[in-house]
DNA sequence: CCTGAAATCATACCGAT
DNA sequence: ATCGGTATGATTTCAGG
């Protein structure tokens, strides 16, 4: 068996046009197809076919608006590291899925290593963080310990292969 | 001085229409204005004015395509916690900005607490991670220590105020 | 992968609330 | 001051080559 037994189509070849399209759409997800085509140097019909192919192949997984949490009344961000009790390992996935569904949770990293996962939380204030940790983590029978760190600032880059 | 001395316009009021628009655009950033208006229940002209206002007020900070790192040949994600030497505290910001500009860096969290920042890295393989840590972190005179954890999976939610 | 025509969409303007 | 309807020009999209 070669290395082609993966459930993801890693073999999906991306040519120069695909990569340019991806880069443009990461910078401006609402660019018109006409302008995207011009920047990339192909016809509009070709361009839209490429974009649709990238989406259907799951290279592009979606288009989203980025929102400032502070404008939504969420002025405090924290990272919470969670360690699961050794007797409850088999419940990690279940617990993490519960947590990922909560509205305060911006991101969840499911980890190997000392911690089992890290939650990136957006909260109104310190009380909100405390209530979240107590209610959803400390009180949960599978959780062994948590550690909360304040996020002073946060940068997010587009995915670039080089 | 009241609590209005902030550089962010927290006072930006968001009504029901604004919140619906934000929710739709987080789910589908490429929705047409016509369909967005219909879903939200306002006229197209009203809708486009609201969207432009949200963007100019920096409530919406941008529109981006989400890309699967695996499709870009980046099959391994890790979190690297970095602690800065106590004698080099004043260089934390400089160092973090250098690192945020590197192509492997998807996110950088600038923290208070035991660790000074956490880097979310997308890499081709374990060798790539090792090279990154050695070249950009261990070799840097301001870095005291690093800790690398593999990311098994990663969820990202839209920002929801409730 | 490109051209061109029909359908759809974005947006400025203006009256009404 | 903001909203909703209408007209016009731009854009998308699907044939077909």
């Amino acid at each position: 068996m070669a290395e082609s037994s993966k459930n993801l189509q890693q073999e999906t070849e991306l040519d120069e046009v695909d990569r340019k399209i991806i880069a443009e759409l990461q910078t401006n997800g609402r660019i018109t197809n006409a302008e995207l085509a011009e920047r990339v140097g192909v016809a509009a019909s070709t361009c839209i076919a490429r974009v649709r192919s990238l989406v259907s192949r799951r290279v592009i997984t979606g288009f989203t608006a980025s929102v400032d949490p502070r404008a939504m009344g969420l002025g405090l961000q924290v990272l919470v590291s969670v360690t699961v009790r050794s007797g409850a390992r088999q419940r990690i996935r279940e617990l993490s899925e519960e947590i990922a569904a909560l509205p305060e949770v911006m991101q969840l990293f499911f980890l190997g290593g000392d911690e089992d996962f890290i939650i990136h939380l957006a909260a109104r204030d310190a009380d909100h963080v405390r209530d979240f940790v107590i209610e959803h983590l400390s009180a949960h029978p599978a959780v062994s310990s948590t550690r909360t760190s304040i996020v002073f600032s946060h940068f997010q880059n587009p995915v670039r292969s080089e």
Side-chain angles (χ1 to χ4, degrees), chain A residues 15-81:
Chain A
D15 66 12
E16 186 65 17
V17 171
D18 289 325
R19 279 191 290 267
K20 281 186 182 173
I21 287 173
I22 289 167
E24 290 292 340
L25 288 176
Q26 284 182 324
T27 301
N28 178 8
R30 279 196 81 115
I31 190 174
T32 65
N33 184 62
E35 187 176 347
L36 180 58
E38 187 184 337
R39 289 190 187 210
V40 169
V42 295
S45 59
T46 305
C47 188
I48 203 164
R50 291 296 190 113
V51 172
R52 285 204 264 249
S53 167
L54 289 168
V55 171
S56 72
R57 282 146 66 202
R58 296 280 187 174
V59 175
I60 293 174
T61 57
F63 294 91
T64 64
S66 301
V67 174
D68 184 345
R70 292 170 298 193
M72 303 287 284
L74 302 170
L76 181 59
Q77 293 178 42
V78 299
L79 293 185
V80 186
S81 309

Side-chain angles (χ1 to χ4, degrees), chain A residues 62-103:
Chain A
F63 294 91
T64 64
S66 301
V67 174
D68 184 345
R70 292 170 298 193
M72 303 287 284
L74 302 170
L76 181 59
Q77 293 178 42
V78 299
L79 293 185
V80 186
S81 309
V82 178
T83 305
V84 172
R85 285 198 303 107
S86 49
R89 300 261 126 201
Q90 74 287 351
R91 278 199 266 170
I92 293 180
R93 179 161 285 283
E94 175 194 337
L95 172 61
S96 67
E97 283 172 3
E98 271 174 53
I99 289 169
L102 298 170

